[in-house]
Short mmCIF file of all heavy atoms in Angstrom, two decimals:
data_model
loop_
_atom_site.label_atom_id
_atom_site.label_comp_id
_atom_site.label_asym_id
_atom_site.label_seq_id
_atom_site.Cartn_x
_atom_site.Cartn_y
_atom_site.Cartn_z
N MET A 1 -215.07 148.35 259.05
CA MET A 1 -214.09 149.06 258.29
C MET A 1 -212.82 148.31 258.17
O MET A 1 -212.46 147.58 259.12
CB MET A 1 -213.83 150.40 258.83
CG MET A 1 -214.87 151.48 258.64
SD MET A 1 -214.34 153.14 259.06
CE MET A 1 -214.37 152.97 260.84
N ILE A 2 -212.12 148.40 257.08
CA ILE A 2 -210.81 147.77 256.83
C ILE A 2 -209.84 148.87 256.55
O ILE A 2 -210.03 149.67 255.65
CB ILE A 2 -210.86 146.80 255.66
CG1 ILE A 2 -211.99 145.75 255.94
CG2 ILE A 2 -209.53 146.15 255.47
CD1 ILE A 2 -212.29 144.91 254.70
N GLU A 3 -208.78 148.96 257.30
CA GLU A 3 -207.75 149.91 257.12
C GLU A 3 -206.48 149.25 256.58
O GLU A 3 -206.11 148.16 256.97
CB GLU A 3 -207.39 150.69 258.45
CG GLU A 3 -208.50 151.57 258.94
CD GLU A 3 -208.04 152.56 259.96
OE1 GLU A 3 -206.84 152.96 259.88
OE2 GLU A 3 -208.85 152.94 260.74
N LEU A 4 -205.87 149.91 255.56
CA LEU A 4 -204.70 149.43 254.95
C LEU A 4 -203.58 150.49 255.01
O LEU A 4 -203.83 151.70 254.86
CB LEU A 4 -205.01 149.03 253.52
CG LEU A 4 -206.08 148.07 253.28
CD1 LEU A 4 -206.53 148.01 251.83
CD2 LEU A 4 -205.62 146.70 253.75
N LYS A 5 -202.36 150.08 255.01
CA LYS A 5 -201.23 150.91 254.86
C LYS A 5 -200.87 150.88 253.38
O LYS A 5 -200.75 149.79 252.77
CB LYS A 5 -200.06 150.49 255.71
CG LYS A 5 -198.83 151.42 255.52
CD LYS A 5 -197.75 151.03 256.47
CE LYS A 5 -196.58 151.95 256.18
NZ LYS A 5 -195.64 152.04 257.29
N VAL A 6 -200.76 152.03 252.74
CA VAL A 6 -200.41 152.14 251.28
C VAL A 6 -199.22 152.97 251.10
O VAL A 6 -199.23 154.18 251.52
CB VAL A 6 -201.63 152.69 250.53
CG1 VAL A 6 -201.30 152.73 249.04
CG2 VAL A 6 -202.91 151.90 250.79
N GLU A 7 -198.22 152.45 250.53
CA GLU A 7 -196.95 153.16 250.35
C GLU A 7 -196.74 153.44 248.83
O GLU A 7 -197.11 152.63 247.96
CB GLU A 7 -195.73 152.41 250.84
CG GLU A 7 -195.82 152.17 252.38
CD GLU A 7 -194.70 151.33 252.85
OE1 GLU A 7 -193.60 151.89 252.88
OE2 GLU A 7 -194.91 150.15 253.28
N GLY A 8 -196.14 154.61 248.51
CA GLY A 8 -195.80 154.89 247.14
C GLY A 8 -196.69 155.94 246.50
O GLY A 8 -196.39 156.37 245.40
N MET A 9 -197.75 156.37 247.17
CA MET A 9 -198.53 157.42 246.55
C MET A 9 -197.91 158.74 246.69
O MET A 9 -197.45 159.10 247.81
CB MET A 9 -199.94 157.50 247.31
CG MET A 9 -200.79 156.27 247.10
SD MET A 9 -202.45 156.43 247.79
CE MET A 9 -202.07 156.55 249.62
N THR A 10 -197.76 159.48 245.57
CA THR A 10 -197.02 160.75 245.62
C THR A 10 -197.91 161.95 245.16
O THR A 10 -197.39 163.13 245.18
CB THR A 10 -195.77 160.69 244.75
OG1 THR A 10 -196.10 160.33 243.44
CG2 THR A 10 -194.81 159.62 245.29
N CYS A 11 -199.11 161.68 244.62
CA CYS A 11 -199.88 162.79 243.99
C CYS A 11 -201.37 162.43 244.02
O CYS A 11 -201.78 161.36 244.43
CB CYS A 11 -199.38 163.05 242.58
SG CYS A 11 -199.71 161.64 241.46
N ASP A 12 -202.19 163.41 243.56
CA ASP A 12 -203.62 163.18 243.48
C ASP A 12 -203.99 162.04 242.57
O ASP A 12 -204.89 161.30 242.76
CB ASP A 12 -204.32 164.44 243.00
CG ASP A 12 -204.33 165.59 244.02
OD1 ASP A 12 -204.13 165.31 245.23
OD2 ASP A 12 -204.45 166.72 243.64
N HIS A 13 -203.24 161.93 241.47
CA HIS A 13 -203.49 160.82 240.54
C HIS A 13 -203.25 159.47 241.17
O HIS A 13 -204.06 158.49 240.97
CB HIS A 13 -202.61 160.94 239.30
CG HIS A 13 -202.78 159.80 238.34
ND1 HIS A 13 -203.81 159.70 237.55
CD2 HIS A 13 -201.96 158.73 238.16
CE1 HIS A 13 -203.72 158.59 236.80
NE2 HIS A 13 -202.61 157.94 237.17
N CYS A 14 -202.23 159.34 242.03
CA CYS A 14 -202.02 158.16 242.76
C CYS A 14 -203.15 157.79 243.73
O CYS A 14 -203.64 156.67 243.73
CB CYS A 14 -200.76 158.22 243.60
SG CYS A 14 -199.18 158.45 242.64
N GLU A 15 -203.65 158.75 244.42
CA GLU A 15 -204.76 158.53 245.29
C GLU A 15 -206.00 158.11 244.51
O GLU A 15 -206.74 157.22 244.97
CB GLU A 15 -205.11 159.84 246.08
CG GLU A 15 -204.14 160.19 247.17
CD GLU A 15 -204.48 161.43 247.94
OE1 GLU A 15 -205.46 162.18 247.51
OE2 GLU A 15 -203.77 161.74 248.93
N GLN A 16 -206.24 158.75 243.36
CA GLN A 16 -207.41 158.41 242.61
C GLN A 16 -207.24 156.88 242.05
O GLN A 16 -208.25 156.25 241.99
CB GLN A 16 -207.55 159.32 241.40
CG GLN A 16 -208.81 159.17 240.61
CD GLN A 16 -210.10 159.44 241.43
OE1 GLN A 16 -210.03 160.13 242.40
NE2 GLN A 16 -211.17 158.78 241.03
N ALA A 17 -206.04 156.53 241.62
CA ALA A 17 -205.85 155.16 241.17
C ALA A 17 -206.14 154.17 242.26
O ALA A 17 -206.79 153.12 241.97
CB ALA A 17 -204.44 155.03 240.60
N VAL A 18 -205.67 154.47 243.40
CA VAL A 18 -205.91 153.55 244.55
C VAL A 18 -207.44 153.48 244.89
O VAL A 18 -207.96 152.38 245.08
CB VAL A 18 -205.09 153.93 245.77
CG1 VAL A 18 -205.58 153.16 247.01
CG2 VAL A 18 -203.62 153.68 245.53
N ARG A 19 -208.06 154.61 244.91
CA ARG A 19 -209.48 154.74 245.21
C ARG A 19 -210.33 153.89 244.20
O ARG A 19 -211.19 153.12 244.60
CB ARG A 19 -209.96 156.16 245.15
CG ARG A 19 -211.40 156.35 245.57
CD ARG A 19 -211.73 157.83 245.54
NE ARG A 19 -211.02 158.58 246.63
CZ ARG A 19 -211.44 158.61 247.90
NH1 ARG A 19 -212.48 157.90 248.24
NH2 ARG A 19 -210.70 159.27 248.72
N GLN A 20 -209.95 154.04 242.92
CA GLN A 20 -210.70 153.28 241.90
C GLN A 20 -210.46 151.84 241.98
O GLN A 20 -211.37 150.95 241.79
CB GLN A 20 -210.36 153.83 240.54
CG GLN A 20 -210.94 155.19 240.26
CD GLN A 20 -210.43 155.80 238.95
OE1 GLN A 20 -209.56 155.31 238.30
NE2 GLN A 20 -211.03 156.94 238.59
N ALA A 21 -209.24 151.45 242.24
CA ALA A 21 -208.88 150.00 242.38
C ALA A 21 -209.66 149.34 243.54
O ALA A 21 -210.17 148.31 243.45
CB ALA A 21 -207.37 149.87 242.57
N LEU A 22 -209.70 150.09 244.70
CA LEU A 22 -210.40 149.53 245.86
C LEU A 22 -211.89 149.45 245.57
O LEU A 22 -212.52 148.47 245.95
CB LEU A 22 -210.19 150.42 247.03
CG LEU A 22 -208.70 150.39 247.63
CD1 LEU A 22 -208.49 151.45 248.68
CD2 LEU A 22 -208.39 149.05 248.21
N ALA A 23 -212.50 150.44 244.88
CA ALA A 23 -213.90 150.45 244.63
C ALA A 23 -214.33 149.25 243.75
O ALA A 23 -215.50 148.84 243.82
CB ALA A 23 -214.27 151.78 243.95
N ARG A 24 -213.38 148.73 243.00
CA ARG A 24 -213.78 147.61 242.04
C ARG A 24 -213.71 146.23 242.75
O ARG A 24 -214.12 145.23 242.25
CB ARG A 24 -212.76 147.54 240.84
CG ARG A 24 -212.91 148.69 239.90
CD ARG A 24 -212.13 148.44 238.63
NE ARG A 24 -210.72 148.44 238.86
CZ ARG A 24 -209.86 149.48 238.76
NH1 ARG A 24 -210.32 150.63 238.37
NH2 ARG A 24 -208.57 149.40 238.96
N VAL A 25 -213.18 146.19 243.94
CA VAL A 25 -213.06 144.89 244.66
C VAL A 25 -214.45 144.52 245.25
O VAL A 25 -215.15 145.29 245.86
CB VAL A 25 -212.08 145.00 245.86
CG1 VAL A 25 -212.03 143.71 246.67
CG2 VAL A 25 -210.67 145.35 245.34
N PRO A 26 -214.88 143.30 244.92
CA PRO A 26 -216.17 142.82 245.42
C PRO A 26 -216.22 142.86 246.96
O PRO A 26 -215.27 142.53 247.67
CB PRO A 26 -216.18 141.38 244.96
CG PRO A 26 -215.28 141.24 243.81
CD PRO A 26 -214.17 142.22 244.11
N GLY A 27 -217.37 143.32 247.43
CA GLY A 27 -217.59 143.55 248.85
C GLY A 27 -217.30 144.93 249.40
O GLY A 27 -217.69 145.15 250.58
N VAL A 28 -216.71 145.75 248.58
CA VAL A 28 -216.48 147.15 249.04
C VAL A 28 -217.75 147.92 248.83
O VAL A 28 -218.30 148.01 247.72
CB VAL A 28 -215.31 147.78 248.24
CG1 VAL A 28 -215.20 149.28 248.58
CG2 VAL A 28 -213.98 147.08 248.65
N THR A 29 -218.29 148.53 249.89
CA THR A 29 -219.47 149.32 249.75
C THR A 29 -219.14 150.78 249.68
O THR A 29 -219.95 151.57 249.14
CB THR A 29 -220.46 149.08 250.94
OG1 THR A 29 -219.83 149.33 252.17
CG2 THR A 29 -220.98 147.68 250.92
N ALA A 30 -217.98 151.18 250.18
CA ALA A 30 -217.52 152.59 250.10
C ALA A 30 -216.03 152.66 250.31
O ALA A 30 -215.48 151.94 251.19
CB ALA A 30 -218.24 153.41 251.10
N VAL A 31 -215.34 153.59 249.66
CA VAL A 31 -214.01 153.88 249.85
C VAL A 31 -213.95 155.16 250.69
O VAL A 31 -214.37 156.18 250.18
CB VAL A 31 -213.13 154.03 248.57
CG1 VAL A 31 -211.72 154.41 248.93
CG2 VAL A 31 -213.22 152.80 247.74
N LEU A 32 -213.73 155.07 251.94
CA LEU A 32 -213.87 156.17 252.87
C LEU A 32 -212.69 157.17 252.86
O LEU A 32 -212.86 158.36 252.87
CB LEU A 32 -214.09 155.74 254.29
CG LEU A 32 -215.24 154.77 254.47
CD1 LEU A 32 -215.30 154.24 255.93
CD2 LEU A 32 -216.57 155.50 254.12
N VAL A 33 -211.51 156.59 252.85
CA VAL A 33 -210.29 157.50 252.89
C VAL A 33 -209.22 156.87 252.07
O VAL A 33 -208.96 155.69 252.12
CB VAL A 33 -209.74 157.58 254.39
CG1 VAL A 33 -208.36 158.30 254.37
CG2 VAL A 33 -210.74 158.22 255.31
N VAL A 34 -208.55 157.69 251.25
CA VAL A 34 -207.31 157.42 250.58
C VAL A 34 -206.42 158.63 250.84
O VAL A 34 -206.78 159.68 250.30
CB VAL A 34 -207.40 157.09 249.11
CG1 VAL A 34 -206.05 156.85 248.46
CG2 VAL A 34 -208.32 155.86 248.90
N ASP A 35 -205.36 158.48 251.65
CA ASP A 35 -204.60 159.61 252.01
C ASP A 35 -203.11 159.36 251.88
O ASP A 35 -202.53 158.59 252.61
CB ASP A 35 -204.92 159.90 253.49
CG ASP A 35 -204.27 161.22 254.03
OD1 ASP A 35 -203.12 161.50 253.62
OD2 ASP A 35 -204.86 161.95 254.77
N ARG A 36 -202.46 160.03 250.90
CA ARG A 36 -201.05 159.76 250.67
C ARG A 36 -200.22 160.26 251.73
O ARG A 36 -199.15 159.75 252.03
CB ARG A 36 -200.65 160.35 249.30
CG ARG A 36 -200.62 161.83 249.27
CD ARG A 36 -200.15 162.33 247.87
NE ARG A 36 -200.22 163.75 247.71
CZ ARG A 36 -201.25 164.41 247.20
NH1 ARG A 36 -202.30 163.73 246.84
NH2 ARG A 36 -201.22 165.72 247.13
N ALA A 37 -200.57 161.40 252.45
CA ALA A 37 -199.77 161.96 253.50
C ALA A 37 -199.72 160.96 254.73
O ALA A 37 -198.60 160.82 255.31
CB ALA A 37 -200.30 163.28 253.95
N GLN A 38 -200.79 160.33 255.00
CA GLN A 38 -200.82 159.36 256.10
C GLN A 38 -200.55 157.96 255.65
O GLN A 38 -200.49 157.03 256.49
CB GLN A 38 -202.13 159.44 256.85
CG GLN A 38 -202.38 160.77 257.51
CD GLN A 38 -203.66 160.75 258.33
OE1 GLN A 38 -204.33 159.80 258.48
NE2 GLN A 38 -203.95 161.98 258.88
N GLN A 39 -200.38 157.72 254.36
CA GLN A 39 -200.13 156.50 253.76
C GLN A 39 -201.12 155.42 254.15
O GLN A 39 -200.79 154.34 254.64
CB GLN A 39 -198.67 156.03 254.11
CG GLN A 39 -197.62 156.86 253.56
CD GLN A 39 -196.22 156.28 253.81
OE1 GLN A 39 -196.07 155.31 254.47
NE2 GLN A 39 -195.24 156.92 253.25
N ARG A 40 -202.44 155.79 254.02
CA ARG A 40 -203.39 154.80 254.39
C ARG A 40 -204.66 154.85 253.55
O ARG A 40 -204.88 155.90 252.85
CB ARG A 40 -203.85 155.01 255.89
CG ARG A 40 -204.61 156.28 256.13
CD ARG A 40 -204.94 156.42 257.57
NE ARG A 40 -205.76 157.59 257.84
CZ ARG A 40 -207.04 157.59 258.13
NH1 ARG A 40 -207.72 156.50 258.21
NH2 ARG A 40 -207.71 158.72 258.33
N ALA A 41 -205.40 153.82 253.60
CA ALA A 41 -206.71 153.76 252.93
C ALA A 41 -207.68 152.97 253.82
O ALA A 41 -207.32 152.12 254.49
CB ALA A 41 -206.61 153.07 251.59
N THR A 42 -208.92 153.46 253.78
CA THR A 42 -209.97 152.85 254.64
C THR A 42 -211.19 152.60 253.76
O THR A 42 -211.65 153.50 252.99
CB THR A 42 -210.36 153.74 255.78
OG1 THR A 42 -209.24 154.14 256.49
CG2 THR A 42 -211.37 153.06 256.70
N VAL A 43 -211.65 151.34 253.76
CA VAL A 43 -212.86 150.93 253.00
C VAL A 43 -213.87 150.36 253.96
O VAL A 43 -213.56 149.90 255.02
CB VAL A 43 -212.51 149.98 251.95
CG1 VAL A 43 -211.53 150.53 250.95
CG2 VAL A 43 -212.04 148.67 252.48
N GLU A 44 -215.15 150.48 253.53
CA GLU A 44 -216.23 149.90 254.25
C GLU A 44 -216.76 148.75 253.48
O GLU A 44 -216.75 148.81 252.23
CB GLU A 44 -217.29 150.97 254.39
CG GLU A 44 -218.38 150.64 255.38
CD GLU A 44 -219.23 151.91 255.65
OE1 GLU A 44 -219.86 152.37 254.71
OE2 GLU A 44 -219.15 152.40 256.75
N GLY A 45 -217.18 147.66 254.18
CA GLY A 45 -217.78 146.50 253.54
C GLY A 45 -217.17 145.23 254.02
O GLY A 45 -216.45 145.25 255.04
N ASP A 46 -217.38 144.13 253.32
CA ASP A 46 -216.89 142.88 253.80
C ASP A 46 -215.96 142.27 252.78
O ASP A 46 -215.90 140.99 252.61
CB ASP A 46 -218.13 141.90 254.09
CG ASP A 46 -218.95 141.64 252.90
OD1 ASP A 46 -218.72 142.24 251.76
OD2 ASP A 46 -219.89 140.89 252.93
N ALA A 47 -215.22 143.12 252.09
CA ALA A 47 -214.24 142.61 251.14
C ALA A 47 -213.12 141.87 251.79
O ALA A 47 -212.80 142.08 253.00
CB ALA A 47 -213.66 143.82 250.38
N ASP A 48 -212.52 140.91 251.05
CA ASP A 48 -211.39 140.17 251.55
C ASP A 48 -210.15 141.06 251.55
O ASP A 48 -209.72 141.67 250.59
CB ASP A 48 -211.15 138.98 250.67
CG ASP A 48 -209.93 138.17 251.00
OD1 ASP A 48 -209.35 138.40 252.03
OD2 ASP A 48 -209.60 137.24 250.17
N PRO A 49 -209.48 141.26 252.75
CA PRO A 49 -208.39 142.17 252.84
C PRO A 49 -207.21 141.77 251.82
O PRO A 49 -206.56 142.63 251.31
CB PRO A 49 -207.88 142.01 254.26
CG PRO A 49 -209.14 141.61 255.01
CD PRO A 49 -209.93 140.78 254.09
N ALA A 50 -207.10 140.52 251.60
CA ALA A 50 -206.05 140.08 250.65
C ALA A 50 -206.37 140.56 249.25
O ALA A 50 -205.51 140.94 248.47
CB ALA A 50 -205.91 138.51 250.65
N ALA A 51 -207.65 140.64 248.90
CA ALA A 51 -208.10 141.15 247.54
C ALA A 51 -207.86 142.63 247.46
O ALA A 51 -207.49 143.11 246.39
CB ALA A 51 -209.57 140.80 247.35
N LEU A 52 -208.06 143.32 248.58
CA LEU A 52 -207.82 144.75 248.62
C LEU A 52 -206.35 145.06 248.36
O LEU A 52 -205.96 145.93 247.58
CB LEU A 52 -208.31 145.37 249.89
CG LEU A 52 -209.81 145.32 250.15
CD1 LEU A 52 -210.09 145.66 251.61
CD2 LEU A 52 -210.55 146.14 249.21
N ILE A 53 -205.49 144.31 249.06
CA ILE A 53 -204.05 144.49 248.98
C ILE A 53 -203.58 144.11 247.58
O ILE A 53 -202.81 144.90 246.99
CB ILE A 53 -203.31 143.62 250.00
CG1 ILE A 53 -203.57 144.19 251.40
CG2 ILE A 53 -201.86 143.52 249.70
CD1 ILE A 53 -203.13 143.33 252.59
N ALA A 54 -204.14 143.10 246.94
CA ALA A 54 -203.75 142.73 245.60
C ALA A 54 -204.17 143.84 244.63
O ALA A 54 -203.41 144.07 243.71
CB ALA A 54 -204.37 141.37 245.21
N ALA A 55 -205.35 144.36 244.83
CA ALA A 55 -205.84 145.43 243.87
C ALA A 55 -204.86 146.70 243.93
O ALA A 55 -204.59 147.21 242.87
CB ALA A 55 -207.25 145.84 244.23
N ILE A 56 -204.40 146.96 245.14
CA ILE A 56 -203.51 148.10 245.30
C ILE A 56 -202.14 147.76 244.62
O ILE A 56 -201.58 148.62 243.93
CB ILE A 56 -203.28 148.51 246.79
CG1 ILE A 56 -204.60 149.09 247.28
CG2 ILE A 56 -202.15 149.57 246.96
CD1 ILE A 56 -204.64 149.22 248.82
N LYS A 57 -201.64 146.57 244.91
CA LYS A 57 -200.37 146.18 244.28
C LYS A 57 -200.45 146.14 242.71
O LYS A 57 -199.49 146.45 242.12
CB LYS A 57 -199.95 144.82 244.86
CG LYS A 57 -199.47 144.94 246.27
CD LYS A 57 -198.94 143.67 246.86
CE LYS A 57 -198.41 143.85 248.23
NZ LYS A 57 -197.78 142.68 248.80
N ASP A 58 -201.63 145.73 242.18
CA ASP A 58 -201.80 145.77 240.76
C ASP A 58 -201.68 147.15 240.18
O ASP A 58 -201.33 147.26 239.03
CB ASP A 58 -203.17 145.15 240.40
CG ASP A 58 -203.20 143.69 240.55
OD1 ASP A 58 -202.12 143.01 240.73
OD2 ASP A 58 -204.30 143.10 240.46
N GLU A 59 -201.90 148.16 240.96
CA GLU A 59 -201.76 149.55 240.48
C GLU A 59 -200.31 150.06 240.71
O GLU A 59 -200.01 151.17 240.29
CB GLU A 59 -202.73 150.46 241.32
CG GLU A 59 -204.17 150.26 240.95
CD GLU A 59 -204.51 150.54 239.49
OE1 GLU A 59 -203.99 151.55 238.98
OE2 GLU A 59 -205.31 149.76 238.85
N GLY A 60 -199.47 149.23 241.31
CA GLY A 60 -198.05 149.58 241.41
C GLY A 60 -197.66 150.18 242.78
O GLY A 60 -196.52 150.73 242.89
N PHE A 61 -198.49 150.07 243.79
CA PHE A 61 -198.20 150.57 245.12
C PHE A 61 -197.98 149.40 246.12
O PHE A 61 -198.52 148.29 245.80
CB PHE A 61 -199.33 151.47 245.61
CG PHE A 61 -199.68 152.59 244.62
CD1 PHE A 61 -200.62 152.48 243.73
CD2 PHE A 61 -198.82 153.72 244.59
CE1 PHE A 61 -200.90 153.53 242.84
CE2 PHE A 61 -199.08 154.75 243.72
CZ PHE A 61 -200.14 154.62 242.82
N GLN A 62 -197.34 149.67 247.16
CA GLN A 62 -197.18 148.64 248.24
C GLN A 62 -198.35 148.79 249.20
O GLN A 62 -198.74 149.92 249.50
CB GLN A 62 -195.83 148.81 248.95
CG GLN A 62 -194.64 148.51 248.13
CD GLN A 62 -194.64 147.12 247.58
OE1 GLN A 62 -194.84 146.21 248.29
NE2 GLN A 62 -194.38 146.99 246.28
N ALA A 63 -198.82 147.66 249.69
CA ALA A 63 -199.98 147.74 250.64
C ALA A 63 -199.84 146.57 251.65
O ALA A 63 -199.28 145.49 251.32
CB ALA A 63 -201.30 147.58 249.94
N SER A 64 -200.36 146.84 252.79
CA SER A 64 -200.41 145.82 253.90
C SER A 64 -201.49 146.19 254.84
O SER A 64 -202.02 147.29 254.82
CB SER A 64 -199.03 145.75 254.63
OG SER A 64 -198.78 147.04 255.24
N ALA A 65 -201.89 145.25 255.68
CA ALA A 65 -202.89 145.47 256.70
C ALA A 65 -202.34 146.52 257.65
O ALA A 65 -201.22 146.52 258.00
CB ALA A 65 -203.29 144.20 257.42
N ALA A 66 -203.22 147.45 258.09
CA ALA A 66 -202.76 148.52 259.01
C ALA A 66 -202.77 148.00 260.47
O ALA A 66 -203.42 147.11 260.80
CB ALA A 66 -203.71 149.71 258.88
#
């Protein structure tokens, strides 16, 4: 599992945008958690963490390794 800190999510739409962005990254087998209250996302698979962070940033949110 790969855990990321995600900042800037304020609504359900934000969570959905992050979830979809993460799901498109090669190597992600499942998006387990996207939680705006805890400011985190967890994915399963062997995706490159830098690619995950870039995908989140492309959606307009801040992200870093947890």
Side-chain angles (χ1 to χ4, degrees):
M1 283 191 289
I2 302 168
E3 290 199 29
L4 302 167
K5 180 173 178 161
V6 183
E7 297 179 70
M9 296 186 292
T10 60
C11 65
D12 289 340
H13 177 76
C14 295
E15 287 181 352
Q16 187 64 24
V18 169
R19 182 177 296 279
Q20 290 174 350
L22 291 171
R24 290 191 296 266
V25 175
V28 172
T29 56
V31 179
L32 303 175
V33 175
V34 176
D35 187 323
R36 70 178 175 266
Q38 294 184 5
Q39 297 185 355
R40 70 181 183 105
T42 305
V43 299
E44 194 169 64
D46 61 357
D48 177 8
L52 296 169
I53 290 169
I56 293 169
K57 288 184 175 183
D58 285 348
E59 291 296 320
F61 304 98
Q62 293 300 315
S64 60

